[in-house]
Amino acid sequence: MEPLRTLVIVDSANVVGSVPDQWWRDRRGAAERLRDSLVPYAAGGLPGHAGPVEIVLVVEGAARGIASVPGVRVEAAPGSGDDLITDLAAAAQGVRPCLVVTADRGLRQRAEAHGARCTGPRTVRPLPPSRGA
């Protein structure tokens, strides 16, 4: 029997907001670009989590309604994205490994209470090079 793939839950609002690239002008477009950038991780995995992994991108607000793509399932939060992420982590507890991608300290505590590991946005979205470099 093949082991269950690690569930990687990405906090879209937090990851998109981690890079000051004027994402606020087009929140939906920023979430779609993030979704598309996550596709290679589905097969290749993330540091400490060999691929393939199952990626769930949790969106809220103006980003609701973007479609899933092969390798990345998009889940629109009916209310708080943090609540949906916590629910997904809770559902994975004791079933399979779970990694939550966020810098939100409160969300990290909630997810870790359900056995999830957490990592920051740089894991999936490197910062752009500094302008002075």
Side-chain angles (χ1 to χ4, degrees), residues 5-8 10 34-44 52-57 67-74:
R5 295 182 291 162
T6 296
L7 175 63
V8 178
V10 181
L34 173 59
R35 175 203 60 200
D36 295 346
S37 75
L38 295 172
V39 170
Y41 296 114
V53 297
E54 179 182 350
I55 299 177
V56 176
L57 179 65
S68 297
V69 295
V72 180
R73 186 176 89 228
V74 178

Side-chain angles (χ1 to χ4, degrees), residues 5-131:
R5 295 182 291 162
T6 296
L7 175 63
V8 178
I9 307 167
V10 181
D11 180 355
S12 176
N14 189 267
V15 174
V16 164
S18 70
V19 179
D21 61 1
Q22 298 192 14
W23 56 265
W24 52 89
R25 294 176 185 244
D26 180 13
R27 293 170 194 261
R28 182 184 178 98
E32 288 173 331
R33 288 188 297 279
L34 173 59
R35 175 203 60 200
D36 295 346
S37 75
L38 295 172
V39 170
Y41 296 114
L46 295 161
H49 300 275
V53 297
E54 179 182 350
I55 299 177
V56 176
L57 179 65
V58 174
V59 298
E60 60 189 349
R64 282 190 192 104
I66 69 169
S68 297
V69 295
V72 180
R73 186 176 89 228
V74 178
E75 291 282 338
S80 162
D82 290 4
D83 289 347
L84 178 55
I85 291 167
T86 301
D87 290 347
L88 292 169
Q93 187 173 14
V95 177
R96 63 178 166 160
C98 179
L99 178 69
V100 174
V101 182
T102 187
D104 181 318
R105 286 186 203 140
L107 177 56
R108 282 175 171 246
Q109 290 176 339
R110 291 173 66 187
E112 288 169 349
H114 293 290
R117 290 188 53 217
C118 296
T119 189
R122 289 184 191 178
T123 303
V124 297
R125 188 165 187 187
L127 293 175
S130 65
R131 294 180 185 195

